[in-house]
Amino acid sequence: MAAPLRGFRLRRPGSAQKFGAAAGSLRGLLRKGCRLLQLPLAGSRLCLYEDGTELSEAFFRTLPPQTELVLLRPGESWPGCCGDVERFLAALCSRTDAVVEAARRLLEDERAPRRQRLLADLIHNLSGDSAAERRDEDGKWFEGLESRFKNKSSYMRYSCESRIRSYMKEVSNFISNVHPTARDAYKRILDLMSDKLKSVKYNGSYFDRTEEEAAMRLCTKEGWFSCQGPFDRDDCPCKHSINPYTNRESRILFSTWNLDHMYQQVCSAPNGTSSPCQAHRVAGASLQLLGNRRSPAWFTFCTYFAELYPAHPFEPSLGRALPFSTAMPTRLLQPHPKANPQHISCQRVVATCATLSL
């Protein structure tokens, strides 16, 4: 007895156009498909659109109706739907304006929320003129900014300086919470940090894509920033990236970004003593707390020295020169909106000190 007819969707490699065909056997479907797509029957094959698996008669019988298939002529192959993704990415790079225009047309009639979001994100990420630098080239990017900023890089440099200044100010303002016996040492470290930051102009070059020395900026020459990942990993598993030079929305969004998407806080343990957060438990490090051993601020400085200089345990007397190293982390952190003002973050101190570029 003949197998019942089942419907399938056929397409050619690299084509978005699909054709419907019904058959009860692989041979029958292949014959109808070749007739529809005007291909020679001899040597043609059918494979799954999803992963390129070539069909056999036995495998064909297991397929559900409306499975999407690709019809291949002799000598052709199909790697799976990833091939469409590769072609789409190639189009994004070579025909950006055309892709944006097509996405806008699709968005006008789209009603599915998920597809609306995908199209809107695509348009947002491809719109704008990232190559433009001057105000007269991309006036919309500068909306809301002071007129003294004539190009994007000068504003981004200022933005970086302001961010680092705010970290330094936060750490400086915490001195009133430090135990009196530790206050002088705390201030000496602050003064050293402040002098170093001033000498390098608060490392504004970190956000400046026109900085010629690659080691002095955190972005590519095109302005792309990549998340550096959690402190205990070499990179970001999520591959976060952003280009604030592209458009005004990306510039504003970048101001809220953490470049390591982690924010750790020194917490008070149940017994009332300050304990290191899990992120800053350094094996073999000597943490010697001065004055009030429950002072979160002083604990963070001890953590700072233990983390950056594990070979040089923190000395309470600070009687010798600080063992600054050239292997400092270059993470920048944005203030967390829910941070407890009574506690200072281990990573915040590390971030402030890391901007010294020693």
Side-chain angles (χ1 to χ4, degrees):
M1 187 175 71
L5 298 180
R6 289 178 296 149
F8 295 90
R9 291 176 293 169
L10 307 182
R11 64 190 297 174
R12 289 280 294 137
S15 173
Q17 190 174 15
K18 303 173 188 177
F19 297 87
S25 67
L26 175 61
R27 182 68 179 175
L29 184 61
L30 190 59
R31 186 182 300 109
K32 289 185 177 180
C34 288
R35 190 182 307 123
L36 278 171
L37 300 176
Q38 299 181 351
L39 296 179
L41 179 60
S44 293
R45 297 111 55 219
L46 284 168
C47 67
L48 292 180
Y49 168 74
E50 182 179 357
D51 60 9
T53 301
E54 193 166 326
L55 302 189
S56 65
E57 193 69 54
F59 185 30
F60 171 79
R61 289 194 292 269
T62 67
L63 296 178
Q66 301 306 316
T67 296
E68 193 166 338
L69 304 174
V70 177
L71 181 56
L72 302 174
R73 69 167 70 237
E76 287 183 333
S77 62
W78 175 249
C81 57
C82 61
D84 278 351
V85 175
E86 291 175 356
R87 281 187 288 275
F88 179 65
L89 290 176
L92 291 184
C93 298
S94 62
R95 304 181 60 192
T96 301
D97 293 343
V99 172
V100 170
E101 185 59 33
R104 284 182 173 142
R105 289 197 300 268
L106 290 172
L107 185 59
E108 289 178 359
D109 300 323
E110 186 57 60
R111 293 294 177 265
R114 185 181 182 185
R115 290 169 62 92
Q116 285 179 339
R117 173 63 185 271
L118 289 173
L119 289 169
D121 285 348
L122 177 64
I123 294 169
H124 167 73
N125 285 297
L126 294 181
S127 298
D129 189 356
S130 61
E133 179 67 19
R134 301 193 310 272
R135 182 183 282 267
D136 60 351
E137 295 175 323
D138 191 0
K140 188 174 181 180
W141 191 92
F142 292 86
E143 288 181 2
L145 301 182
E146 298 177 34
S147 59
R148 63 189 174 103
F149 298 112
K150 305 301 182 184
N151 56 67
K152 295 179 180 179
S153 295
S154 66
Y155 172 76
M156 293 301 296
R157 180 177 284 265
Y158 166 79
S159 174
C160 184
E161 292 175 5
S162 298
R163 188 184 288 207
I164 295 176
R165 284 176 187 270
S166 71
Y167 301 156
M168 190 66 201
K169 183 177 181 180
E170 183 177 344
V171 175
S172 299
N173 289 342
F174 204 84
I175 194 169
S176 60
N177 296 311
V178 177
H179 192 275
T181 60
R183 211 165 279 173
D184 288 343
Y186 189 101
K187 189 176 186 308
R188 285 199 297 274
I189 298 175
L190 287 179
D191 291 342
L192 176 63
M193 293 167 65
S194 180
D195 290 342
K196 278 296 189 180
L197 286 172
K198 289 177 182 177
S199 70
V200 293
K201 299 181 180 179
Y202 291 89
N203 289 318
S205 62
Y206 282 169
F207 290 0
D208 184 357
R209 67 178 178 181
T210 63
E211 170 61 42
E212 294 183 359
E213 190 175 348
M216 294 303 296
R217 52 181 160 81
L218 299 180
C219 61
T220 67
K221 290 182 178 180
E222 294 77 24
W224 282 100
F225 291 79
S226 297
C227 179
Q228 297 174 354
F231 78 98
D232 57 350
R233 294 188 57 140
D234 293 333
D235 55 15
C236 172
C238 301
K239 305 299 180 184
H240 298 130
S241 61
I242 188 172
N243 189 340
Y245 288 86
T246 301
N247 49 49
R248 178 175 177 268
E249 292 76 15
S250 294
R251 168 176 64 78
I252 294 173
L253 179 61
F254 181 73
S255 68
T256 69
W257 257 52
N258 296 344
L259 292 184
D260 73 348
H261 67 67
M262 291 279 287
Y263 185 88
Q264 297 292 340
Q265 200 172 12
V266 175
C267 305
S268 293
N271 59 8
T273 61
S274 291
S275 60
C277 54
Q278 289 293 331
H280 291 83
R281 292 187 183 276
V282 184
S286 175
L287 298 180
Q288 302 182 43
L289 306 184
L290 285 182
N292 182 2
R293 290 176 178 268
R294 298 186 182 185
S295 166
W298 195 247
F299 172 78
T300 54
F301 271 102
C302 294
T303 302
Y304 159 67
F305 281 105
E307 183 173 70
L308 294 187
Y309 320 118
H312 303 276
F314 182 74
E315 292 187 4
S317 64
L318 288 178
R320 59 176 170 79
L322 301 177
F324 285 118
S325 165
T326 58
M328 284 184 152
T330 56
R331 303 286 165 81
L332 296 177
L333 297 178
Q334 181 75 4
H336 194 284
K338 297 182 180 180
N340 184 342
Q342 298 304 314
H343 296 82
I344 190 168
S345 165
C346 295
Q347 288 197 5
R348 178 63 50 74
V349 175
V350 172
T352 305
C353 297
T355 59
L356 298 178
S357 285
L358 297 170

